[in-house]
Amino acid sequence: QVQLVESGGGSVQAGGSLRLSCAADVSTYNRYCMAWFRQAPGKEREGVATIHAGDGVTYYADSVKGRFTISRDNAKKTVYLQMNSLKPEDTAMYYCAADKFAWSTLSRVCRTTYDYTSWGQGTQVTVSS
């Protein structure tokens, strides 16, 4: 439904930084939940961070709080994930996702447990010791 293109992945040493970008081709961008997920070999997909494109409300997984920052530029219809103090356990394929219906009225954040309908192709992040 929504075309998403990720960029910015690469290989860095522990303690380094990367900035991922996700450009969305959608007409009603401000109504969408935008999210970053990651998946390492042999592990289940993990929700990393979410942001509502309209009001900017964010959510972070406990494993990345204080290190990662999600943001958006509505004029460019782009969401970013700034990753600082990277650790080897952050190594994974990172995916951008979007969905109109991932917003939780109860918790007032974009859910990571929702089955997002639009996905990017993924960008690899590798963190070495």
Side-chain angles (χ1 to χ4, degrees), residues 4-48:
L4 302 172
V5 180
E6 303 111 322
S7 62
S11 298
V12 298
Q13 294 184 348
S17 298
L18 286 172
R19 188 192 192 196
L20 307 183
S21 298
C22 175
D25 183 9
V26 58
S27 60
T28 55
Y29 174 79
N30 64 345
R31 296 187 177 183
Y32 277 80
C33 283
M34 305 293 295
W36 287 99
F37 292 81
R38 66 186 182 187
Q39 188 166 23
K43 299 189 67 176
E44 294 185 350
R45 187 169 59 202
E46 175 188 17
V48 176

